Amino acid sequence: MESSKLLIALFVFQVFFPCHMSIQAAPENSDLFREYIGAEFNNVKFTDVPIDSNVEFHFILSFAIDYDSTSGSHSPTNRKFNVFWDSDNLSPSQVSSIKSTHSNVKVALSIGGDSVGDSYAYFDPSSVDSWVSNAVSSLTNIIQEYHMDGIDIDYEHFNADPDTFTECIGKLVKTLKDNGVISFASIAPFDDDDTVNFQFYAYDQGTTVSQFISYFNTQSSNYNGGKVLASFISDGSGGLTPKNGFFTACSRLKSENKLHGIFVWSADDSKRNGFRYEKQSQALLAISH
């Protein structure tokens, strides 16, 4: 886990959600399941993914990025966001359809991500006011066009200090909520509904059950008051994998009333294995909590 990214995450959590740092929420399980989708352009569709009617299901479209989507160089656009997910297979009409078919489904877009083209996607505002103004305008257009419910902030590279990042994201989320554009926002690895989407799959590939539990407890302590979600990466490239005990660890957390939800990166990779671990995740979450 990169220490600089973790420090920024902790800083923003403390500044953006200061009330959480002094009030520890009572442990409780949740039926929240989240899955990122669309970043790898392998023709995955919403309808490919199994959805259990007994969980709260969030699709997170990945990504909208403030870079030019038509230029081969993918140059910055002064914070005007464009769609960089597989919009042919994950279109506005398909968002409407999956939400009308499944009343427990909500859809968000994620901004930032790791890269665009062959380069890192940087958070690099020219000024707070210009970033917020352009972000609000362009993201409002995308969110309304795609009939979305929320936004996820997942910047991983920064050419700005934590204070600037916090101010920009705080103003963006507040404006979108005040304008009725979104009903929820998440800031990876944490969100404003008291959940922490921590990327446990960024740890070493050989992570054991006992190590995972230790990491989970450490991050729960770091994000005091935030409900940490368990997570895995579909391609098995890091962290505790489903094959090596992820669900054993989740069952242990559930028995201690600490399983606040599960999120997965990503549906694009899970398509290869028939979404077997999505089914298993939701079945576990759907058990009375």
Side-chain angles (χ1 to χ4, degrees):
M1 189 67 61
E2 298 179 12
S3 58
S4 59
K5 183 181 175 185
L6 179 57
L7 287 172
I8 290 176
L10 289 169
F11 180 89
V12 177
F13 186 81
Q14 293 179 44
V15 173
F16 199 49
F17 312 116
C19 61
H20 298 319
M21 307 316 295
S22 60
I23 302 173
Q24 177 64 54
E28 61 179 20
N29 293 321
S30 167
D31 61 1
L32 177 60
F33 180 81
R34 288 176 170 160
E35 180 138 42
Y36 290 84
I37 187 170
E40 297 177 21
F41 288 82
N42 65 355
N43 301 316
V44 66
K45 300 178 175 64
F46 295 122
T47 51
D48 293 334
V49 184
I51 298 171
D52 190 315
S53 61
N54 295 308
V55 303
E56 180 181 354
F57 196 112
H58 292 180
F59 280 112
I60 304 178
L61 286 164
S62 311
F63 294 92
I65 309 175
D66 42 344
Y67 279 67
D68 184 355
S69 60
T70 58
S71 168
S73 62
H74 294 305
S75 56
T77 57
N78 196 26
R79 313 317 108 185
K80 294 178 181 178
F81 284 83
N82 291 296
V83 169
F84 279 84
W85 63 76
D86 184 0
S87 57
D88 288 341
N89 290 292
L90 303 165
S91 66
S93 63
Q94 288 160 330
V95 172
S96 295
S97 177
I98 198 69
K99 288 174 62 177
S100 63
T101 304
H102 299 277
S103 61
N104 60 319
V105 168
K106 294 182 179 179
V107 180
L109 61 75
S110 185
I111 67 172
D114 176 63
S115 60
V116 54
D118 296 325
S119 303
Y120 287 140
Y122 281 95
F123 176 77
D124 188 16
S126 55
S127 72
V128 171
D129 288 343
S130 66
W131 189 94
V132 172
S133 176
N134 287 334
V136 167
S137 175
S138 56
L139 288 172
T140 295
N141 290 338
I142 296 172
I143 291 167
Q144 292 180 338
E145 178 186 359
Y146 277 81
H147 320 290
M148 294 181 183
D149 306 283
I151 184 174
D152 172 73
I153 289 85
D154 188 25
Y155 278 100
E156 303 192 14
H157 307 284
F158 302 87
N159 280 337
D161 59 80
D163 285 320
T164 300
F165 180 66
T166 301
E167 186 174 1
C168 286
I169 298 305
K171 287 184 175 181
L172 170 64
V173 171
K174 184 179 187 303
T175 303
L176 291 176
K177 282 192 168 185
D178 288 349
N179 291 348
V181 177
I182 59 172
S183 59
F184 69 90
S186 61
I187 302 183
F190 33 74
D191 89 11
D192 67 350
D193 289 326
D194 299 356
T195 58
V196 179
N197 296 343
F198 195 85
Q199 297 174 354
F200 288 103
Y201 47 80
Y203 288 108
D204 291 340
Q205 186 176 10
T207 298
T208 64
V209 171
S210 60
Q211 287 174 326
F212 183 93
I213 295 294
S214 177
Y215 296 150
F216 183 93
N217 288 332
T218 296
Q219 298 308 326
S220 294
S221 177
N222 284 342
Y223 297 98
N224 183 28
K227 299 172 185 176
V228 177
L229 273 64
S231 62
F232 67 87
I233 188 167
S234 302
D235 66 6
S237 61
L240 178 60
T241 66
K243 288 183 178 179
N244 292 332
F246 176 78
F247 293 109
T248 298
C250 286
S251 294
R252 187 179 302 176
L253 293 173
K254 193 173 183 72
S255 72
E256 299 173 358
N257 289 322
K258 293 180 181 177
L259 187 59
H260 310 303
I262 294 173
F263 83 93
V264 181
W265 179 275
S266 63
D268 304 59
D269 289 321
S270 293
K271 184 178 180 180
R272 299 187 188 98
N273 63 29
F275 302 98
R276 59 180 298 188
Y277 299 126
E278 279 78 357
K279 296 174 186 176
Q280 195 169 346
S281 296
Q282 293 176 75
L284 178 61
L285 292 169
I287 298 172
S288 179
H289 62 276

